[in-house]
Amino acid sequence: MINQNYEKLMKLGLTKMAELYLDQTTNKAYFEMSFDERFAFLIDGETDEQHNKRIYGIQKRSNIKMATAKVSEIRFYPDREIDKNLTLKLATCDYINDNLNVIVVGATGAGKSYYVSALGNEACLKGIVTKYVRLPDLLYDLDQARNKDTYKKKLRALANVDLLIIDEWLLNPTTPQQQADLLELLELRYNNSSTIFASQFLPEGWHKNLGSGAVADAILDRVIANSYLIHIKGKQSMRVRENTKS
């Protein structure tokens, strides 16, 4: 009977429950427990296992640039002028529940990628579907999808991500087609999901790289209107600073 129950649990995909059930049949520590207590232990074990598998899958598919980045390890050096209270607030991921955006600005080496990766990892740990992408790669993928007649499918996939992190945002001028693609994507995500933008430039410097026209106005309106702003400063590159410490 024990082996039959074990095999049935395995066939149902309840592998952790099967493992714990087998352990209960031989471990004397369980013998004095009631049936309900032992059964609850099995359920809790399987629930935790499935939750951990789901989190692992979300983390793996997120493609976050720095998979080990943590908000708790962000360096709040005085010269960086990072708003610590806002950062800790963002780490709760409540902004995602409210469909708000985050803009992270800083010079090369300021630590933008680490900061947005840390926020992304916090979201993954909370079971929030997250995707990290560089803007050049995003634009290339949309262009390739257009050529393969899968443009709308690709756009919907990006639109449905709970948290989309776009790094290297508007480092270079964009074409009219790229501007149209960005507007379409941001329109689909507006008030439905959250986006983190990491850029070297403050929002007022984006207009020119978006063509300086009506489309640029529309894109900026959808990004800035409901966003938190984190401006990372600093007298020294974080790469240099951290290497010096080690």
Side-chain angles (χ1 to χ4, degrees):
M1 175 65 75
I2 291 173
N3 288 336
Q4 290 178 351
N5 289 339
Y6 175 81
E7 292 298 331
K8 287 176 181 178
L9 288 170
M10 292 295 289
K11 287 180 180 179
L12 289 170
L14 303 174
T15 54
K16 188 63 178 181
M17 184 177 283
E19 175 191 323
L20 293 172
Y21 168 74
L22 208 58
D23 185 44
Q24 286 189 6
T25 63
T26 58
N27 191 330
K28 293 182 179 180
Y30 295 104
F31 291 175
E32 295 182 0
M33 297 173 63
S34 69
F35 172 81
D36 285 340
E37 288 173 329
R38 293 173 64 174
F39 190 53
F41 191 84
L42 296 181
I43 294 173
D44 289 344
E46 183 63 36
T47 299
D48 290 343
E49 180 75 1
Q50 292 194 16
H51 173 75
N52 291 337
K53 285 182 178 179
R54 180 170 181 269
I55 296 302
Y56 174 78
I58 289 173
Q59 289 175 320
K60 188 174 182 180
R61 290 188 294 272
S62 71
N63 292 320
I64 290 176
K65 184 174 183 178
M66 299 180 180
T68 59
K70 299 178 181 178
V71 168
S72 61
E73 295 182 3
I74 292 174
R75 308 301 191 199
F76 293 96
Y77 299 129
D79 63 297
R80 299 187 81 195
E81 299 184 27
I82 300 175
D83 188 329
K84 186 174 184 178
N85 290 333
L86 177 55
T87 299
L88 295 177
K89 179 180 179 180
L90 295 174
T92 67
C93 296
D94 286 345
Y95 71 98
I96 301 173
N97 297 328
D98 296 331
N99 301 322
L100 300 176
N101 302 322
V102 181
I103 299 169
V104 181
V105 179
T108 299
K112 298 184 300 298
S113 291
Y114 187 93
Y115 190 98
V116 301
S117 293
L119 291 184
N121 289 329
E122 290 289 345
C124 289
L125 289 173
K126 290 178 172 59
I128 297 169
V129 177
T130 302
K131 181 175 179 59
Y132 172 99
V133 64
R134 297 168 57 250
L135 180 61
D137 294 334
L138 185 152
L139 294 174
Y140 176 80
D141 288 346
L142 286 175
D143 187 57
Q144 291 299 301
R146 185 182 298 104
N147 295 334
K148 297 176 183 177
D149 294 326
T150 56
Y151 177 78
K152 288 186 177 180
K153 181 179 179 180
K154 181 68 177 179
L155 206 58
R156 283 197 299 271
L158 289 168
N160 290 333
V161 174
D162 295 327
L163 175 63
L164 179 63
I165 302 172
I166 307 179
D167 206 348
E168 300 181 22
W169 173 256
L170 295 177
L171 295 183
N172 300 300
T174 51
T175 66
Q177 182 60 69
Q178 291 171 336
Q179 294 155 23
D181 289 343
L182 288 175
L183 178 58
E184 186 67 20
L185 174 61
L186 295 175
E187 173 61 27
L188 289 172
R189 294 183 61 77
Y190 186 69
N191 282 337
N192 292 311
S193 48
S194 296
T195 308
I196 296 178
F197 304 87
S199 178
Q200 289 189 24
F201 310 110
L202 287 165
E204 50 263 33
W206 297 351
H207 202 261
K208 182 179 179 181
N209 282 349
L210 287 170
S212 301
V215 173
D217 292 338
I219 291 174
L220 291 178
D221 180 63
R222 284 158 180 76
V223 174
I224 299 172
N226 56 353
S227 293
Y228 292 104
L229 175 64
I230 293 288
H231 189 179
I232 304 176
K233 301 180 182 178
K235 299 175 181 178
Q236 192 177 33
S237 164
M238 286 300 292
R239 297 186 184 94
V240 174
R241 179 175 265 169
E242 293 301 299
N243 287 335
T244 302
K245 286 179 59 182
S246 59

